[in-house]
């Protein structure tokens, strides 16, 4: 399943271009459907939300069933094993502790002449989270979305997730949400959920920001409502890049490539190594390990589309190659991996050493797994507490301080042709 190519060849250049193009969200047919959905929900509210949810998910759902009840949450607890709740508790604790370290406080400073400057940092009031639970049950993405919002102090967190055909939400999703203190869950997903959270309906109050993963319909919808509300980022297909040398275990590397490829056919699993022999070992291990996995079809398609081992001259070239791709996840499985850490400039998450698989980062380590994809790690960051905070500048001048800067402000305003700005300064000193 894994292709093996030498870098700096036409074949490698074509594959590299194909990998970089994955981040471009362009599909006119999907965009057309999304815009119609957004318009319908904006105009019709819950009626449109239910119509689309019936069509796509639960044919018999009604408006009165749109919000998950306390009774449904209670029933969900009876359907999940205690080991799941223990795992959620472990993950939640680690994620909370990591994100608490990101908290910052408002500040003010007193400058010359009694000038006071500062930054006031406050949480957003209301946030919406859209998370898949039918096509893929992404309980971990729910944790990664709602926990940082809670740490930031967001007052209201609403979760939208698609129901199953029987009108119920997956019990694992309900229990995970409840364990994180979420009491507002709605049975809708896709573009209609994004529209409901952005514009508000009778049953789903509008939010200030929408976060969370989802398919292309969700991503296009988030892109369309941006500006009306804020969004976290546009999430493309997942990806992993492993830099490995001859000291790495080919079975470990193969397992980690598979762990990303199983998400779907658009996912990228990339190995960069100076050893063709090692790449051949990984290729064989991928075949063996993938054979028995339930998502075999997804794996096969992902490796056929984007599964590649690039052969480089040395680890320095591998690092430069990784920086060019700017992967979502980057694993360093090389001798003395921390020696290379400072050279990695572009990556959503860096996992160092053979016992730091991407899977531990996805679920329980603590850092957020909602990461920039499609080369966006060149400029973007993981979801964090900062995504749920807003900053307000504070400015307070005394009369003497204002008098000192008035000539400069007047000159700048006059150059820009904004005489009103200049007058607003001068009027305060006319009596003088």
């Amino acid at each position: 399943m894994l292709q093996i190519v030498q870098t700096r060849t036409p074949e490698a250049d074509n594959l590299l271009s194909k990998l970089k193009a994955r981040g471009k969200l362009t599909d006119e047919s999907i965009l057309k459907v999304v815009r119609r959905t957004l318009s319908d929900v904006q105009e019709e509210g819950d009626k449109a939300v239910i119509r689309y949810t019936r069509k796509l998910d639960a044919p018999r759902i009604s408006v009165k069933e749109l919000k998950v009840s306390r009774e449904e949450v209670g029933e969900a607890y009876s359907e999940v094993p205690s080991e799941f709740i223990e795992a959620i508790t472990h993950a939640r604790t680690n994620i909370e502790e990591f994100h608490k370290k990101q908290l910052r406080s408002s500040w003010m400073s007193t400058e010359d002449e009694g000038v006071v400057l500062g930054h006031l940092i406050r949480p957003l009031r209301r946030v919406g989270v859209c998370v898949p639970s039918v096509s893929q049950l992404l309980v971990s993405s729910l944790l990664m979305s709602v926990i940082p919002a809670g740490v930031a102090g967001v007052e209201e967190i609403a979760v939208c997730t698609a129901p199953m055909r029987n009108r119920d939400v997956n019990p694992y999703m309900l229990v995970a949400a409840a364990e994180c203190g979420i009491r507002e869950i709605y049975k809708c997903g896709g573009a209609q959920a994004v529209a409901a959270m952005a514009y508000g309906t009778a049953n789903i109050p509008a939010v200030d920001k929408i976060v969370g993963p989802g398919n292309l319909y969700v991503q296009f919808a988030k892109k369309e409502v941006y500006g009306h509300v804020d969004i976290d980022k546009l999430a493309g297909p997942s990806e992993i890049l492993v830099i490995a040398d001859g000291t790495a275990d080919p079975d470990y590397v193969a397992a980690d490539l598979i762990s990303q490829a199983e998400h779907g056919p658009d996912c990228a699993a990339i190995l960069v190594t100076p050893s063709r022999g090692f790449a051949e070992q990984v290729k064989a291990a991928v075949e063996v390990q993938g054979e028995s996995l339930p998502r075999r079809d997804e794996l096969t398609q992902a490796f056929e589309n984007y599964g590649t081992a690039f052969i480089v001259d040395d680890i320095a070239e591998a690092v430069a190659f990784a920086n060019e791709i700017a992967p979502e996840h980057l694993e360093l499985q090389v001798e003395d991996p921390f020696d290379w850490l400072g050279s990695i400039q572009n990556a959503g998450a860096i996992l160092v050493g053979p016992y730091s698989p991407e899977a531990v980062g996805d679920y329980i380590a603590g850092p957020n797994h909602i990461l920039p994809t499609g080369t966006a790690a060149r400029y973007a960051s993981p979801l964090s507490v900062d995504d749920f905070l807003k900053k307000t500048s504070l400015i307070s001048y005394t009369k003497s301080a204002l008098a000192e800067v008035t000539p400069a402000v007047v000159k700048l305003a006059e150059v820009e042709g904004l005489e009103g700005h200049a007058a607003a300064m001068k009027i305060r000193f006319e009596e003088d």
Side-chain angles (χ1 to χ4, degrees):
M1 289 190 284
L2 189 69
Q3 307 172 71
I4 302 177
V5 299
Q6 180 72 44
T7 55
R8 300 188 302 280
T9 63
E11 183 182 9
D13 291 343
N14 288 336
L15 286 169
L16 183 58
S17 297
K18 184 180 176 183
L19 285 168
K20 289 181 177 180
R22 292 169 66 258
K24 298 177 181 178
L25 297 180
T26 54
D27 191 314
E28 287 300 320
S29 61
I30 291 179
L31 181 58
K32 184 178 180 180
V33 172
V34 165
R35 285 176 172 168
R36 184 186 307 118
T37 304
L38 296 177
S39 176
D40 288 348
V41 173
Q42 191 172 20
E43 292 178 5
E44 304 174 44
D46 291 324
K47 181 179 178 182
V49 172
I50 289 298
R51 185 170 69 249
Y52 281 106
T53 303
R54 285 174 176 170
K55 178 181 178 181
L56 299 170
D57 300 304
R60 298 176 60 190
I61 194 169
S62 64
V63 171
K64 67 180 181 180
E65 296 173 297
L66 191 57
K67 186 174 182 179
V68 172
S69 67
R70 290 183 180 180
E71 291 74 19
E72 288 175 293
V73 174
E75 291 172 7
Y77 270 91
S78 68
E79 298 179 44
V80 303
S82 59
E83 294 83 359
F84 172 74
I85 299 175
E86 291 171 4
I88 288 292
T89 301
H90 191 170
R92 188 191 70 227
T93 299
N94 287 356
I95 296 167
E96 282 180 346
E97 289 305 310
F98 179 85
H99 286 83
K100 283 177 181 177
K101 295 179 174 68
Q102 299 173 349
L103 281 169
R104 60 172 94 184
S105 302
S106 300
W107 60 268
M108 290 186 291
S109 65
T110 302
E111 312 293 331
D112 295 341
E113 300 289 337
V115 172
V116 177
L117 303 176
H119 241 176
L120 304 179
I121 299 176
R122 301 183 177 95
L124 302 180
R125 188 190 67 83
R126 181 170 170 81
V127 167
V129 177
C130 192
V131 58
S133 64
V134 178
S135 58
Q136 278 192 290
L137 178 61
L138 297 184
V139 169
S140 57
S141 292
L142 173 76
L143 303 184
M144 296 292 181
S145 299
V146 304
I147 292 174
V151 170
V154 175
E155 185 179 337
E156 298 177 10
I157 304 172
V159 171
C160 284
T161 189
M164 299 178 288
R165 288 189 64 82
N166 66 358
R167 309 194 301 279
D168 293 337
V169 171
N170 187 289
Y172 288 94
M173 187 65 75
L174 290 184
V175 170
E179 288 294 304
C180 292
I182 303 302
R183 300 293 179 261
E184 191 179 346
I185 307 170
Y186 299 98
K187 300 178 184 179
C188 61
Q192 63 270 25
V194 174
M197 290 189 286
Y199 305 127
T201 71
N203 284 279
I204 305 177
V207 302
D208 301 311
K209 183 167 187 169
I210 299 172
V211 305
N215 60 21
L216 282 179
Y217 291 90
V218 170
Q219 302 311 316
F220 274 103
K222 286 166 65 177
K223 187 176 182 180
E224 288 293 300
V225 301
Y226 176 64
H228 189 82
V229 294
D230 193 18
I231 64 171
D232 52 349
K233 56 176 60 69
L234 298 177
S238 193
E239 58 209 24
I240 186 172
L241 185 149
V242 181
I243 297 177
D245 59 17
T247 67
D249 187 316
D251 288 329
Y252 292 1
V253 173
D256 294 350
L257 294 176
I258 287 172
S259 71
Q260 281 304 108
E262 73 174 347
H263 277 300
D266 292 332
C267 294
I270 307 163
L271 168 64
V272 188
T273 178
S275 170
R276 181 174 287 271
F278 179 79
E280 294 286 357
Q281 289 179 298
V282 172
K283 180 178 180 178
V286 166
E287 293 282 353
V288 172
Q289 294 180 28
E291 189 64 38
S292 60
L293 293 174
R295 298 180 69 87
R296 167 80 180 178
D297 291 343
E298 287 84 353
L299 285 175
T300 300
Q301 293 178 59
F303 277 104
E304 286 178 355
N305 291 334
Y306 301 106
T308 308
F310 290 94
I311 309 302
V312 294
D313 290 340
D314 50 33
I315 298 302
E317 184 186 351
V319 168
F321 188 86
N323 282 330
E324 187 174 358
I325 291 179
E328 178 187 16
H329 305 92
L330 189 152
E331 289 189 2
L332 280 174
Q333 295 202 37
V334 298
E335 189 174 11
D336 300 322
F338 279 98
D339 290 350
W340 294 99
L341 186 60
S343 300
I344 303 295
Q345 300 298 316
N346 301 326
I350 304 173
L351 299 113
V352 183
Y355 300 105
S356 306
E358 179 270 335
V360 76
D362 264 358
Y363 290 108
I364 214 161
N368 208 289
H369 82 198
I370 299 178
L371 304 167
T373 61
T375 76
R378 293 176 294 113
Y379 56 82
S381 306
L383 192 74
S384 71
V385 169
D386 276 349
D387 285 287
F388 302 100
L389 299 174
K390 57 182 180 178
K391 296 89 176 176
T392 302
S393 297
L394 173 66
I395 303 168
S396 176
Y397 268 65
T398 62
K399 186 174 183 180
S400 60
L402 190 66
E404 186 175 331
V405 301
T406 289
V409 174
V410 168
K411 175 53 67 178
L412 292 171
E414 288 174 346
V415 167
E416 292 185 349
L418 299 175
E419 295 295 338
H421 283 64
M425 300 293 290
K426 291 186 287 187
I427 197 172
R428 285 166 166 77
F429 303 100
E430 285 180 352
E431 293 182 0
D432 298 340

